[in-house]
Amino acid sequence: MILRKVDFGNFSDCPNGSRQWIWDMFGECAQDCWDDASVGLGLISILCFAGSTFPQYIKACKTGNMDQALSLWFLLGWLGGDSCNLIGSFLAHQLPLQTYTAVYYVLADLLMLTLYFYYKYKKRPSLLSTPINAVLLLLLGMAFSTPLLSWPDPVGSPSEVFQGRTLLSVEPENKPFTKQEIIGFVIGSISSVLYLLSRLPQIYTNFLRKSTQGISYSLFALVMLGNMLYGLSVILKNPEVGQSEGSYLLHHLPWLVGSLGVLLLDGIISVQFLIYRNAAAAVITSEREPLLPS
C-alpha cells in the first residue's frame, strides 16, 4: 500500500509556546492546555471507535443471530456515513491520522456486513457462495480505500500555513474555499445525515422484536463515548490565528452534528437495552422453572 506523502508545513508557523512533539507526531499546533486536551481526547475517541466493533463480532459468533438482531438498514446507513466521512475528510484536508482511521471504519463496517449476510444465508442452500461473497466484499473495500490513500495532493495547493484540525479553516487572509473543500464539506454533511438516519431502523427493529438479544451494548456504549470525546476535542481546540470561534464552529458543524447529534438516538437505544433486558430475563426464568406435577 502506497501512502501519500504528508506535508505538515513548518513548525515556525505555530504560535509561540506550541508543543514540538505534538507537531512532529500529528502536525497540530498545541499552544496551551486546551489544545493538549483536544489532542488527548481525540486519540481516546479513536481508540473507542476502533474497539467498539469487536464486542459485536464476538457476540455474533456466540449467538449466530446477527441477521435478526441488527437492522440491515442500520448497517448500510453506518457504512454510507463512514464512506462519506472518509471521502469528505480526504477532500477537506483532515489530518492523516483521521483519514486512516476513517479507512478503518469503512473496513470494519464491511466486516460487520459480511457477518450479517453470513448468518443470514448460513442455513440456506449453496453455502459455498457465502464465504466467496464475503471475501469479495472485503476485497472491494480494500480496493476502494487504497486509491484514496495513494491519491496525490492537488497541484498548486501547498500547505504554507498550518491548518490544524480545522476541516475548512479560514486563513488570516480570508482566502475563498476551493471547490474541493466545498465538496468535502457537502459530503461531510451527507455523512452526518446518514449517521442520524442509520439509528432509526435499529430503534424500530428493537421495538418490533421487543428484545435486544444478539446485540452487544458495548458497540453503542463505546460509540457514544467516542462521539462525545471527539465532539469535545473539536470544541476545546483553539481556532487558528485570525479565525473567530464562530467561524471555527461553523466549519466544523457537519462533523459536530455527526458526533454529538447521534448521542440522543444512541441514548434511546440504551433505554431499550434497559427495558428489554428485564423482559429477556423474565423469559429465561420462565423457561428454567421446573414443571409442576399435574
Side-chain angles (χ1 to χ4, degrees):
M1 182 181 296
I2 303 175
L3 302 181
R4 62 188 179 94
K5 184 179 180 180
V6 178
D7 183 14
F8 289 148
N10 298 319
F11 180 67
S12 59
D13 295 327
C14 290
N16 294 331
S18 297
R19 278 64 165 170
Q20 178 75 49
W21 69 271
I22 294 181
W23 172 264
D24 293 337
M25 294 184 63
F26 308 110
E28 292 202 42
C29 293
Q31 55 181 326
D32 55 21
C33 60
W34 296 106
D35 288 338
D36 294 342
S38 174
V39 174
L41 293 177
L43 291 176
I44 297 175
S45 70
I46 290 175
L47 295 178
C48 292
F49 287 129
S52 62
T53 55
F54 288 99
Q56 184 59 49
Y57 298 152
I58 299 175
K59 191 80 170 183
C61 295
K62 287 183 177 180
T63 60
N65 65 340
M66 185 174 178
D67 58 311
Q68 300 175 5
L70 292 179
S71 169
L72 176 61
W73 293 108
F74 165 69
L75 297 177
L76 292 177
W78 209 345
L79 175 61
D82 286 335
S83 300
C84 291
N85 179 49
L86 170 60
I87 299 173
S89 64
F90 187 86
L91 294 178
H93 300 295
Q94 283 196 36
L95 295 179
L97 181 60
Q98 293 173 285
T99 303
Y100 301 151
T101 306
V103 173
Y104 169 82
Y105 297 160
V106 172
L107 295 179
D109 294 341
L110 290 174
L111 180 57
M112 194 86 73
L113 278 171
T114 299
L115 289 175
Y116 177 90
F117 286 111
Y118 173 78
Y119 288 111
K120 185 175 183 62
Y121 296 103
K122 183 178 180 180
K123 299 180 180 180
R124 296 187 179 184
S126 302
L127 294 179
L128 184 61
S129 60
T130 301
I132 295 178
N133 293 332
V135 173
L136 291 177
L137 187 61
L138 289 177
L139 292 178
L140 179 62
M142 296 180 64
F144 169 77
S145 304
T146 302
L148 288 177
L149 294 178
S150 59
W151 190 7
D153 290 333
V155 179
S157 59
S159 178
E160 297 178 357
V161 179
F162 171 68
Q163 294 186 352
R165 187 183 289 265
T166 310
L167 300 176
L168 295 177
S169 61
V170 178
E171 298 180 358
E173 299 85 359
N174 290 326
K175 293 174 61 177
F177 298 147
T178 64
K179 292 183 178 180
Q180 179 173 317
E181 290 173 331
I182 295 176
I183 294 174
F185 186 87
V186 173
I187 295 178
S189 301
I190 297 174
S191 171
S192 299
V193 174
L194 290 175
Y195 282 140
L196 292 172
L197 295 179
S198 66
R199 266 51 174 189
L200 300 180
Q202 187 59 50
I203 294 175
Y204 184 66
T205 298
N206 295 340
F207 176 77
L208 289 181
R209 296 174 63 227
K210 296 295 189 294
S211 172
T212 56
Q213 291 184 350
I215 308 175
S216 173
Y217 180 67
S218 299
L219 170 67
F220 293 96
L222 290 175
V223 168
M224 290 176 64
L225 180 60
N227 280 324
M228 182 178 62
L229 294 178
Y230 176 79
L232 290 176
S233 71
V234 174
I235 294 175
L236 293 178
K237 180 70 178 179
N238 289 314
E240 294 182 11
V241 177
Q243 183 182 21
S244 65
E245 294 184 0
S247 175
Y248 172 81
L249 293 177
L250 176 62
H251 296 314
H252 281 81
L253 187 59
W255 284 267
L256 285 174
V257 171
S259 60
L260 299 180
V262 298
L263 287 178
L264 176 60
L265 297 178
D266 285 340
I268 295 177
I269 295 178
S270 299
V271 173
Q272 289 182 324
F273 269 92
L274 293 176
I275 296 176
Y276 299 139
R277 180 184 61 180
N278 297 331
V283 171
I284 294 176
T285 302
S286 62
E287 290 179 351
R288 292 181 177 178
E289 287 181 354
L291 297 177
L292 297 177
S294 56

